[in-house]
């Protein structure tokens, strides 16, 4: 599991921003935004790319959770909590069987960082420092249904 694009600490109107403090302003688009989109489209069409998901509203936490299904999960380790919620534009999560091919495609376009491994157990496990959180697809689905119900 790889994340493409540079983090920028953009937290939008997130709950993390409300708890940690900071400013709510729209982040700048990366200068290479068109090249990032073009390269993402190219790698998404390769046989070795299993999934691609934008990192936007909710950051990596939401992108990773939305990628979990009953038979697809991920085991991810991040440097800090900010990495979970960073909403900087121009980023995507890519599940691939050819990480070197992804790195090569994005060379000179955007940074590529390995954040973990795909699993077949339908569980998202995230480690940040000494803290670990795990949720299976059913739990994630239940949490999402609460949000959807409350927004109706």
């Amino acid at each position: 599991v790889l994340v493409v694009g540079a983090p920028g600490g953009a937290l939008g109107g997130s709950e993390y921003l409300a708890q940690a403090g900071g400013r709510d302003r729209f982040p700048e688009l990366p200068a290479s935004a068109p090249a990032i989109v073009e390269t993402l489209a190219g790698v998404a069409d390769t046989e070795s790319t299993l999934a691609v998901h934008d990192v936007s509203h909710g950051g990596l936490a939401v992108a990773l959770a939305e990628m979990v299904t009953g038979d697809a999960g991920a085991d991810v380790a991040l440097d800090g909590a900010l990495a979970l919620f960073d909403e900087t534009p121009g980023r995507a999560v890519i599940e691939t069987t050819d990480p070197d091919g992804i790195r090569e495609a994005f060379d000179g376009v955007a940074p590529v960082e390995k954040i973990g491994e795909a699993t077949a157990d339908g569980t998202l496990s995230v480690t940040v420092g000494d803290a670990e959180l795990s949720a299976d697809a059913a739990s994630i689905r239940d949490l999402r249904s609460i949000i959807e119900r409350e927004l109706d």
Side-chain angles (χ1 to χ4, degrees), residues 10 15-16 25 28 33 44 46 53 62 66 79 81 87 90-91 93 103 117 121 123 127 135 137 140 144:
E15 182 61 23
Y16 186 80
R25 62 181 177 165
E28 291 189 32
T46 65
H53 196 297
V62 171
E66 289 178 345
D79 291 334
E87 298 178 350
R91 302 176 71 217
V93 176
R103 287 186 187 91
E117 297 288 336
D121 63 1
T123 300
T127 303
I140 293 169
R144 289 189 59 79

Side-chain angles (χ1 to χ4, degrees), residues 7 12 26-27 30-31 44-46 117-118 136 140 150:
F26 191 80
D45 285 337
T46 65
E117 297 288 336
D136 63 19
I140 293 169
E150 294 302 316

Side-chain angles (χ1 to χ4, degrees), residues 89-109:
R91 302 176 71 217
V93 176
I94 300 176
E95 180 187 351
T96 181
T97 59
D98 183 15
D100 291 335
I102 300 297
R103 287 186 187 91
E104 183 178 315
F106 280 94
D107 187 36
V109 176

Side-chain angles (χ1 to χ4, degrees), residues 17 20 29 34-35 41 43-44 48 56 72 80 84 109 114 117-118 128:
L17 175 73
L29 294 174
V43 300
S48 60
S56 57
L84 273 174
V109 176
K114 180 177 179 176
E117 297 288 336
V128 179

Side-chain angles (χ1 to χ4, degrees), residues 10-37:
L11 297 173
S14 70
E15 182 61 23
Y16 186 80
L17 175 73
Q19 297 297 321
R23 295 188 331 207
D24 179 13
R25 62 181 177 165
F26 191 80
E28 291 189 32
L29 294 174
S32 59
I36 292 171
V37 171

Side-chain angles (χ1 to χ4, degrees), residues 1-4 40 42-55 60 63-76 91-103 106 112-124:
V1 177
L2 307 172
V3 65
V4 171
L40 276 172
V43 300
D45 285 337
T46 65
E47 196 171 303
S48 60
T49 298
L50 306 176
V52 177
H53 196 297
D54 69 308
V55 177
L60 276 174
L64 291 165
E66 289 178 345
M67 293 175 78
V68 174
T69 66
D71 58 359
D75 187 3
V76 173
R91 302 176 71 217
V93 176
I94 300 176
E95 180 187 351
T96 181
T97 59
D98 183 15
D100 291 335
I102 300 297
R103 287 186 187 91
F106 280 94
V112 176
E113 177 186 0
K114 180 177 179 176
I115 58 171
E117 297 288 336
T119 65
D121 63 1
T123 300
L124 174 60

Side-chain angles (χ1 to χ4, degrees), residues 118-151:
T119 65
D121 63 1
T123 300
L124 174 60
S125 298
V126 179
T127 303
V128 179
D130 293 336
E132 184 176 329
L133 174 68
S134 291
D136 63 19
S139 298
I140 293 169
R141 186 174 44 254
D142 290 345
L143 290 170
R144 289 189 59 79
S145 70
I146 292 169
I147 293 169
E148 292 167 2
R149 183 182 66 239
E150 294 302 316
L151 290 176

